[in-house]
Amino acid sequence: MPKIIGATLGEHREKTRQALFDALSSLLREQSFESITMAQIARRAGVGRTAVYNHFEDKDSLLLALMSATTEQFTAILTEALQVIDDPLQQIRIYTRAQLELKHHYHLTEGVNLRRLTASQPTEKLREHAHIVEHILHHLLAAAQRKDQISVAPSPGIINLIHTCLAGQVMPKRRTDREKVILEVETFILRGLGANEEAVANVDPRVAELRFVFGDESETNLDSETLPDGDDNYATYLRCPINVVA
């Protein structure tokens, strides 16, 4: 009889799904999606191979479910962060910071071609996760334009340009270096949107103090200059809810 993870069957199913998500995410950092097998995923997750098929018919379905789950979590973190302040221009800064600080955790490995990998799945599912965050950014841009804080109207092209800019950034491990990159990217985006120089230079203290962290906060020193050991190229603290450092 398979081992039950959790106090209830519902909890067991949720924990198993999360273990499968974690396993696929981990394997994607090591090898191509094409080379990953369901047996590998099961071993990495610590569950029986049959259990994988009880949740997902194939690895394409698992990948799409992973995209959906991570988008929901990212959106929850971003939405909570945006409640820190009601100024649209400062909220655009928060959006930028969330994307830069959290992208390594919530985005798939560089070079993963979702459309090719999931060709057997409906196209709408591939765009579903992107539409959610695009809608949030569109709303922020529209609000900033209504307040005459920016001169550029939101459009699919503008949103794509912003996301392209964010996707191309590598976040260093040292906090001071990270903050420099963030300010450079924010300045570039806000100037491109037509914000005046005074607004570009003004970072609200509540925004500057935002820290995106994940896991047990007691195990992480948020005032540390460098991150814990891990990926040498990226620096990401993740946690929901958002922590505003006093």
Side-chain angles (χ1 to χ4, degrees):
M1 183 174 180
K3 181 180 179 182
I4 299 296
I5 309 172
T8 65
L9 184 58
E11 185 179 348
H12 166 73
R13 288 186 59 81
E14 184 58 35
K15 284 181 180 262
T16 302
R17 281 173 61 88
Q18 187 58 54
L20 295 173
F21 291 155
D22 292 343
L24 178 57
S25 296
S26 173
L27 288 166
L28 281 170
R29 296 189 186 99
E30 302 170 6
Q31 61 191 88
S32 68
F33 180 76
E34 292 91 341
S35 67
I36 296 172
T37 66
M38 291 292 265
Q40 283 181 297
I41 294 169
R43 284 196 300 272
R44 183 66 60 91
V47 301
R49 186 172 178 179
T50 304
V52 181
Y53 289 102
N54 286 339
H55 292 269
F56 304 102
E57 60 179 331
D58 53 35
K59 65 180 183 180
D60 286 8
S61 300
L62 173 56
L63 176 61
L64 289 173
L66 170 62
M67 289 165 52
S68 177
T70 53
T71 299
E72 288 178 11
Q73 189 179 28
F74 174 80
T75 303
I77 291 175
L78 175 60
T79 300
E80 186 168 357
L82 292 171
Q83 295 173 5
V84 167
I85 192 169
D86 60 7
D87 178 81
L89 203 66
Q90 297 296 331
Q91 289 179 324
I92 292 173
R93 290 186 187 274
I94 291 174
Y95 182 93
T96 299
R97 289 168 186 241
Q99 289 280 3
L100 290 174
E101 293 273 26
L102 305 181
K103 72 174 185 174
H104 187 51
H105 180 82
Y106 286 106
H107 291 211
L108 293 175
T109 304
E110 185 100 11
V112 173
N113 188 325
L114 292 175
R115 187 173 298 280
R116 178 168 53 82
L117 297 180
T118 56
S120 63
Q121 303 293 332
T123 304
E124 294 77 19
K125 289 187 177 181
L126 287 174
R127 290 291 300 160
E128 222 169 65
H129 73 295
H131 282 319
I132 297 171
V133 289
E134 286 172 358
H135 177 75
I136 293 174
L137 180 56
H138 187 281
H139 173 77
L140 298 178
L141 294 174
Q145 189 192 30
R146 285 195 300 270
K147 284 194 157 190
D148 293 324
Q149 294 177 318
I150 61 174
S151 59
V152 175
S155 69
I158 292 298
I159 289 173
N160 184 59
L161 284 170
I162 292 173
H163 284 161
T164 300
C165 176
L166 294 171
Q169 300 302 316
V170 173
M171 297 299 288
K173 290 184 71 174
R174 291 173 62 88
R175 173 173 292 177
T176 52
D177 294 338
R178 268 198 335 277
E179 290 174 349
K180 180 181 178 182
V181 170
I182 288 171
L183 286 174
E184 287 175 346
V185 174
E186 284 180 351
T187 298
F188 181 82
I189 289 175
L190 292 178
R191 282 178 176 163
L193 291 171
N196 64 54
E197 287 302 311
E198 181 180 357
V200 169
N202 175 35
V203 182
D204 190 283
R206 289 169 291 180
V207 175
E209 291 167 359
L210 273 176
R211 297 290 181 266
F212 297 88
V213 293
F214 181 77
D216 186 350
E217 189 175 335
S218 65
E219 296 178 0
T220 304
N221 180 6
L222 295 179
D223 294 323
S224 176
E225 177 64 18
T226 59
L227 287 175
D229 292 337
D231 193 312
D232 289 335
N233 295 321
Y234 291 87
T236 308
Y237 282 123
L238 302 172
R239 182 177 67 87
C240 185
I242 294 300
N243 178 58
V244 181
V245 178

